[in-house]
Amino acid sequence: MGEADDSENRRSRNSFGAWAMTGPTGPVSAAQPVEHGGALPEAADLVVIGGGVAGVTAALYAARAGQSVVLIEKGRIAGEQSSRNWGWIRQQGRDPDELPLVMEANRRWQELAAETNEDLGLERTGTVYLIRREADRGRYESWLPHAREHGLDTRMLSARETAEMFPDAAARWQGALYTPSDMRAEPWVAVPALARLAVRAGVRVREDCAARALDVEAGRITGVVTEHGRIRASRVVLAGGAWSSLFLRAHGVPIPQLSVRSTAAATEALPEFCRGGAADDRLAFRRRQDGGYTLAPSSYHEIFVGPDAFRALPSFRRQLMADPLGTAYRPWAPRGWPDAWSTPRRWQPDEASPFERCRVLDPPPNRAKVRQMARRFGAAFPGLGEIRIKRAWAGLIDTMPDLVPILDRCEALPGLVVLTGLSGHGFGIGPGVGRVAADLAMDRDPGHDLTRFRLSRFSDGSELRQGPHL
Ligand SMILES: Cc1cc2nc3c(=O)[nH]c(=O)nc-3n(C[C@H](O)[C@H](O)[C@H](O)COP(=O)(O)OP(=O)(O)OC[C@H]3O[C@@H](n4cnc5c(N)ncnc54)[C@H](O)[C@@H]3O)c2cc1C
């Protein structure tokens, strides 16, 4: 690294240091100073695109295996979904094919949290799915055999046990599905801390640096074109969240990916009546480390239609029909979003790409939903008194038609590993799929059967198997 490079790094760290004194109090935004700056190296063994939980952990594990790794993030580490989620690290309700990965992630979260020397708010506090409508009981019970098969501690709670767990609840739930070994962590603390751990492992992290395109020669990847120059590399992991489809399509690899807006809100500090995450069919809540609760409308999402969504919607028919009232449709994806009608689908590597035009995708929350959540939370727990919301936000969740991710090498672009479509559970599973993506990029045995997550499932004529709506 040269002198100019060092001083740039110091400058960005100093301004970050001042900001960090106050501590993060909500999702990462573009207003947050750059923590990871500096010049890019000319070459690396592996370039990781995307600084969410998936990309950060992939980079970390590859560096630990001795690779020289560069991680480029168009905005801020964890600026998008990875700091906007509810903070649930959940095995409960996951697809049986994903369970081994989620269980590995659960173990890795604990190891990584200890290694960061920072307090990520990681705690084993359990997940509870509350039964408000008797109709949900069968769905929850049908998941128990998967838990048993994998040795998980999941069980059904009776109405009496549920009432004992939430003695102050006005809503008397008729039972619950409960996994005590599930965990929680504070997303806006955890993923930036993991990125610092990755830096200590040798990863060169660069924020404010969009990958515009891949360099491809004779059918193989030879590098990445970024807005700050080229990096030579024969291996790339794409962990671009809601932007992955736009990036891949520009290289002739279309994937049916939808991104849905999901709104969440943080209450002011309130008495502690629960330490983990719980949800019924209308409301989800999770105790935060700062004494408040993160609220969300459990299964409500909004699709802002653009050309990609329009094309992909037929593939999502089964998923959407499983909960027809859980999705609202908006005809226009706002300007600058990955799937806006006006977003360019093609650009030259030497011109600004849509990625750097939107550093941090920070969708406005649905205010009506925020008011409704606060009302519902207050009605469920009248002893809490007035529910005051201190912050509301939203994120775009990227999802695939069968609710399981793509975690595979891309045959059409040898050297590329795709890790995307983590749906509403990517925070929890992140360190598991990140580790696997690193091994795929290094041509190592990933240690899990990844057939279900193959990229070709959308084009090889096979019938898609739906993941559970739990
Ligand atoms: C409101 C909400 C609640 C959720 N709740 C939970 C939960 O409780 N538990 C759970 O497990 N999951 C939850 N999720 C889902 C979870 O947050 C995501 O699945 C996970 O964070 C996805 O991680 P990622 O790294 O794949 O994507 P992201 O975190 O979205 O990261 C992708 C990154 O790639 C960058 N990028 C994209 N394109 C480029 C490019 N060309 N060049 C450079 N950088 C690029 C983006 O800027 C972005 O920072 C929730 C999500 C939301 C929005």
Side-chain angles (χ1 to χ4, degrees):
M1 222 184 337
E3 225 170 71
D5 185 18
D6 267 343
S7 64
E8 199 179 330
N9 245 331
R10 257 197 312 274
R11 256 198 318 279
S12 61
R13 289 227 173 86
N14 285 344
S15 62
F16 177 79
W19 175 87
M21 298 284 284
T22 54
T25 55
V28 174
S29 77
Q32 182 173 312
V34 167
E35 180 180 2
H36 306 279
L40 293 172
E42 281 178 12
D45 295 329
L46 172 68
V47 175
V48 176
I49 301 172
V53 66
V56 165
T57 52
L60 169 64
Y61 286 114
R64 284 190 172 172
Q67 302 285 296
S68 65
V69 184
V70 181
L71 166 65
I72 50 178
E73 162 54 53
K74 67 180 173 58
R76 300 291 180 274
I77 291 293
E80 300 197 347
Q81 297 169 82
S82 291
S83 68
R84 293 165 187 275
N85 62 71
W86 306 347
W88 296 32
I89 297 177
R90 162 173 82 84
Q91 306 158 103
Q92 174 164 300
R94 286 320 315 139
D95 187 281
D97 288 330
E98 272 181 307
L99 264 178
L101 283 160
V102 188
M103 293 172 74
E104 174 182 331
N106 200 298
R107 183 170 51 75
R108 290 190 181 277
W109 266 113
Q110 296 173 68
E111 290 167 3
L112 295 175
E115 287 161 5
T116 59
N117 290 323
E118 298 186 45
D119 184 357
L120 313 188
L122 185 78
E123 245 189 274
R124 183 169 282 201
T125 46
T127 297
V128 187
Y129 283 176
L130 299 155
I131 300 174
R132 193 182 65 89
R133 306 174 300 184
E134 201 43 47
D136 288 331
R137 183 183 298 278
R139 269 193 317 133
Y140 295 164
E141 285 177 349
S142 69
W143 195 77
L144 287 172
H146 305 308
R148 268 197 294 277
E149 189 190 328
H150 289 87
L152 275 181
D153 52 357
T154 310
R155 60 194 161 91
M156 294 301 292
L157 299 182
S158 66
R160 189 176 53 77
E161 288 172 306
T162 311
E164 280 166 9
M165 190 177 259
F166 299 104
D168 299 329
R172 290 288 166 206
W173 290 291
Q174 297 155 36
L177 181 71
Y178 176 43
T179 303
S181 59
D182 278 359
M183 299 190 293
R184 68 170 209 205
E186 301 307 332
W188 48 73
V189 180
V191 179
L194 293 182
R196 287 188 281 275
L197 184 64
V199 170
R200 293 206 292 280
V203 177
R204 189 63 212 263
V205 178
R206 176 67 153 99
E207 293 174 310
D208 262 358
C209 183
R212 290 177 174 170
L214 300 171
D215 265 334
V216 182
E217 283 170 30
R220 276 204 71 87
I221 290 181
T222 55
V224 177
V225 187
T226 82
E227 62 179 303
H228 299 298
R230 286 187 145 82
I231 310 171
R232 272 185 289 110
S234 56
R235 308 289 164 130
V236 174
V237 171
L238 174 65
W243 300 86
S244 302
S245 167
L246 182 65
F247 192 91
L248 287 171
R249 183 172 285 278
H251 286 281
V253 181
I255 56 169
Q257 186 173 40
L258 261 192
S259 293
V260 296
R261 178 172 76 166
S262 177
T263 291
T267 71
E268 298 280 5
L270 287 165
E272 180 178 303
F273 66 91
C274 135
R275 290 192 63 74
D280 66 15
D281 59 305
R282 301 192 307 182
L283 176 72
F285 50 91
R286 198 257 307 167
R287 175 86 177 163
R288 282 192 321 278
Q289 206 180 17
D290 65 9
Y293 291 84
T294 294
L295 308 183
S298 23
S299 61
Y300 177 83
H301 301 115
E302 291 157 283
I303 297 179
F304 288 76
V305 178
D308 271 6
F310 194 73
R311 262 189 300 265
L313 272 171
S315 325
F316 282 81
R317 193 174 44 83
R318 279 178 61 199
Q319 188 186 129
L320 295 168
M321 289 318 289
D323 182 17
L325 300 180
T327 307
Y329 298 87
R330 316 279 175 227
W332 303 102
R335 204 177 180 74
W337 286 22
D339 193 26
W341 293 94
S342 55
T343 297
R345 262 57 192 177
R346 291 266 184 276
W347 52 91
Q348 293 302 315
D350 59 357
E351 66 183 11
S353 69
F355 308 110
E356 65 235 59
R357 293 210 170 103
C358 177
R359 292 279 169 211
V360 174
L361 185 53
D362 185 5
N366 180 326
R367 295 276 163 201
K369 283 287 162 191
V370 173
R371 286 191 294 275
Q372 185 189 59
M373 282 164 353
R375 262 197 322 274
R376 285 185 171 164
F377 191 52
F381 300 99
L384 294 176
E386 191 191 352
I387 306 298
R388 293 156 71 108
I389 299 294
K390 67 173 184 183
R391 182 190 288 266
W393 66 90
L396 273 203
I397 301 181
D398 63 299
T399 181
M400 309 311 298
D402 47 4
L403 280 165
V404 294
I406 298 174
L407 175 50
D408 197 5
R409 297 188 184 95
C410 177
E411 267 177 36
L413 293 166
L416 178 66
V417 170
V418 179
L419 168 51
T420 199
L422 293 172
S423 302
H425 52 280
F427 179 63
I429 203 175
V433 291
R435 196 278 300 160
V436 168
D439 279 340
L440 287 178
M442 293 183 291
D443 288 332
R444 291 182 169 188
D445 175 4
H448 293 287
D449 179 0
L450 303 178
T451 315
R452 182 80 185 288
F453 315 122
R454 70 197 186 284
L455 182 52
S456 64
R457 70 188 191 269
F458 306 111
S459 54
D460 64 9
S462 54
E463 177 136 357
L464 294 183
R465 191 150 43 87
Q466 284 292 300
H469 282 268
L470 287 181

